[in-house]
Amino acid sequence: MSGQSQRLNVVPTVTMLGVVKARLVGATRGHALLKKKSDALTVQFRQILKKIVSTKESMGDIMKTSSFALTEAKYVAGDNIKHVVLENVREASLRVRSRQENVAGVKLPKFDYTADADAAKSDLTGLARGGQQVQQCRAAYVKAIEVLVELASLQTSFLTLDEAIKTTNRRVNALENVLKKIQGYKKREIEKKMQMQLQIQSSSTKVPSNKEASFNSSQNLLAVADKDEDIIF
Amino acid sequence: MASRVQIPTNNSALIAMIADEDTVVGFLLAGVGNVDIRRKTNYLIVDSKTTVKQIEDAFKEFTTREDIAIVLISQYVANMIRFLVDSYNKPVPAILEIPSKDHPYDPAHDSVLSRVKYLFSSESVASGRR
């Protein structure tokens, strides 16, 4: 057992009681803070969930209009426009910039798209015929990208927040159910032992030979406490 | 925290695509396409001759490349490599399943939306509108 070596040595003294009390206060405060963080993250998480669902639905409509615009462009400019497009790929004029946003200490990625305006102008696709339709089609697809980039940043935030909420909740539960109970138990135990020692000491003033026995009994109490399975610290 | 995933903040990341020809042509027209010095593209056109192996390789390549922030994948293509898409759980690059022209969009298959729906189950937002 690795927990055996990490066990806190508890001696029934006033200083130890103070230490344990301070630890209990610390655990309570930490628990309250973590709970607040968890709540803040959950609020953000719900907002993102709602946005994801609505954006997913608008994505369907936008993809429909943009593929219809492509069909129009194909009809006007001829079906071989796709070969022109496929051959003219050089460097991306539409790129994605990523930055971070901070929500209650959790870094969320956010994407923005940046379009290179002069690169789009030099493109001569549809020069012979159907130029206007091609431009409309391009605009429709740029709009689609806009929605898709937003959806992507929502989705990554969703995954990151999900993970963060899980860890925070695990810590909250650990503090709530394990640490606080153990510290409280230790505090009570020390108080009990100190009372017992006081009684023994007051009785030992009358009977001096009892001193040895009192030492043994306090040792025994510690041994009993050590056997408790719940103590891991 | 050593286990936390680092989010790269670079200024120009690309959008990769695995889709049918029409969708890819449309997005290329918008200016998404990129061909580097070694003639490597950031898109894969899926037609009847494309094998599942090719799609798998492209997916793996796009998700491991440093300069790609978003991977767009047609839903019927994603269904072919569903096991890969579902097991992918990194935040960056983000995987987006998009509808394609001749395959209707089914929200039940989307790996992220199914998780969203699972969390939303009491309100059942997505399933109520289908």
Side-chain angles (χ1 to χ4, degrees), chain A residues 124-162:
Chain A
L124 296 178
T125 315
L127 186 65
R129 56 192 181 132
Q132 200 182 1
Q133 235 66 38
V134 170
Q135 290 306 320
Q136 275 174 12
C137 176
R138 185 203 305 276
Y141 270 96
V142 169
K143 205 177 247 177
I145 286 285
E146 197 178 321
V147 173
L148 288 173
V149 166
E150 197 197 328
L151 191 56
S153 63
L154 285 176
Q155 200 173 297
T156 41
S157 311
F158 167 75
L159 292 177
T160 322
L161 264 184
D162 194 23

Side-chain angles (χ1 to χ4, degrees), chain A residues 30-43 45-46 106 160-178, chain B residues 4 119:
Chain A
H31 172 255
L33 283 174
L34 275 175
K35 193 93 191 161
K36 263 185 203 160
K37 180 183 173 183
S38 163
D39 284 348
L41 289 181
T42 316
V43 166
F45 190 66
R46 302 242 152 154
V106 179
T160 322
L161 264 184
D162 194 23
E163 192 64 29
I165 285 175
K166 266 185 206 156
T167 12
T168 315
N169 279 351
R170 218 172 288 146
R171 285 182 196 155
V172 168
N173 286 343
L175 275 178
E176 192 172 309
N177 295 329
V178 185
Chain B
R4 187 163 288 169
L119 290 163

Side-chain angles (χ1 to χ4, degrees), chain B:
Chain B
M1 291 286 289
S3 63
R4 187 163 288 169
V5 189
Q6 271 294 313
I7 299 156
T9 48
N10 50 355
N11 278 331
S12 58
L14 296 172
I15 303 171
M17 283 171 290
I18 307 173
D20 58 325
E21 194 175 40
D22 281 344
T23 314
V24 170
V25 167
F27 282 119
L28 291 187
L29 202 57
V32 171
N34 191 60
V35 180
D36 65 4
I37 310 161
R38 296 199 194 84
R39 305 293 301 160
K40 258 192 178 171
T41 56
N42 67 336
Y43 55 89
L44 178 77
I45 295 172
V46 178
D47 50 21
S48 53
K49 281 172 282 187
T50 315
T51 59
V52 177
K53 182 86 176 61
Q54 273 174 302
I55 300 171
E56 273 176 35
D57 288 345
F59 183 80
K60 278 177 193 158
E61 193 208 317
F62 292 155
T63 48
T64 47
R65 258 170 73 167
E66 294 273 307
D67 58 342
I68 287 178
I70 300 170
V71 179
L72 304 176
I73 182 164
S74 270
Q75 199 175 32
Y76 81 99
V77 181
N79 284 341
M80 286 189 221
I81 52 162
R82 177 55 61 194
F83 58 98
L84 263 182
V85 178
D86 279 349
S87 61
Y88 178 85
N89 54 4
K90 276 186 279 182
V92 178
I95 307 294
L96 271 186
E97 290 180 28
I98 53 172
S100 65
K101 209 166 71 179
D102 34 32
H103 294 78
Y105 187 68
D106 185 8
H109 280 291
D110 195 312
S111 57
V112 172
L113 205 61
S114 61
R115 277 177 71 183
V116 172
K117 248 198 308 190
Y118 167 71
L119 290 163
F120 243 135
S121 59
S122 57
E123 295 170 47
S124 70
V125 177
S127 61
R129 292 187 197 166
R130 238 196 298 161

Side-chain angles (χ1 to χ4, degrees), chain A residues 21-75:
Chain A
K21 266 184 183 166
R23 274 168 180 248
L24 185 59
V25 168
T28 317
R29 178 159 303 160
H31 172 255
L33 283 174
L34 275 175
K35 193 93 191 161
K36 263 185 203 160
K37 180 183 173 183
S38 163
D39 284 348
L41 289 181
T42 316
V43 166
Q44 196 75 17
F45 190 66
R46 302 242 152 154
Q47 281 174 357
I48 284 176
L49 276 186
K50 263 185 202 146
K51 269 192 207 158
I52 282 183
V53 172
S54 61
T55 319
K56 277 261 179 193
E57 270 161 22
S58 69
M59 175 190 82
D61 293 340
I62 282 189
M63 288 303 289
K64 207 164 69 189
T65 43
S66 54
S67 63
F68 189 68
L70 181 69
T71 317
E72 276 180 337
K74 266 186 180 170
Y75 175 71

Side-chain angles (χ1 to χ4, degrees), chain A residues 51-231:
Chain A
K51 269 192 207 158
I52 282 183
V53 172
S54 61
T55 319
K56 277 261 179 193
E57 270 161 22
S58 69
M59 175 190 82
D61 293 340
I62 282 189
M63 288 303 289
K64 207 164 69 189
T65 43
S66 54
S67 63
F68 189 68
L70 181 69
T71 317
E72 276 180 337
K74 266 186 180 170
Y75 175 71
V76 177
D79 203 21
N80 58 2
I81 186 179
K82 68 183 174 198
H83 302 297
V84 179
V85 173
L86 286 175
E87 289 307 314
N88 271 331
V89 179
R90 295 269 178 277
E91 207 169 287
S93 62
L94 219 156
R95 283 167 181 271
V96 177
R97 229 187 22 224
S98 57
R99 60 191 165 83
Q100 288 182 341
E101 220 163 66
N102 200 340
V103 174
V106 179
K107 291 194 178 81
L108 296 180
K110 281 268 181 255
F111 297 124
D112 298 319
Y113 79 99
T114 49
D116 215 352
D118 49 320
K121 268 181 204 155
S122 61
D123 192 3
L124 296 178
T125 315
L127 186 65
R129 56 192 181 132
Q132 200 182 1
Q133 235 66 38
V134 170
Q135 290 306 320
Q136 275 174 12
C137 176
R138 185 203 305 276
Y141 270 96
V142 169
K143 205 177 247 177
I145 286 285
E146 197 178 321
V147 173
L148 288 173
V149 166
E150 197 197 328
L151 191 56
S153 63
L154 285 176
Q155 200 173 297
T156 41
S157 311
F158 167 75
L159 292 177
T160 322
L161 264 184
D162 194 23
E163 192 64 29
I165 285 175
K166 266 185 206 156
T167 12
T168 315
N169 279 351
R170 218 172 288 146
R171 285 182 196 155
V172 168
N173 286 343
L175 275 178
E176 192 172 309
N177 295 329
V178 185
L179 244 173
K180 274 169 80 179
K181 275 184 191 166
I182 287 173
Q183 301 287 6
Y185 168 75
K186 268 187 204 157
K187 201 181 99 186
R188 284 195 303 278
E189 201 67 2
I190 291 176
E191 279 168 352
K192 222 189 282 174
K193 278 177 205 166
M194 280 173 65
Q195 265 184 353
M196 219 173 273
Q197 261 192 344
L198 271 179
Q199 281 175 355
I200 291 165
Q201 268 167 11
S202 60
S203 62
S204 67
T205 46
K206 292 166 197 162
V207 191
S209 65
N210 225 4
K211 208 173 185 179
E212 192 72 19
S214 77
F215 182 73
N216 276 339
S217 68
S218 68
Q219 285 285 323
N220 276 341
L221 267 175
L222 266 180
V224 168
D226 275 358
K227 269 175 204 158
D228 199 304
E229 280 183 345
D230 286 336
I231 297 180

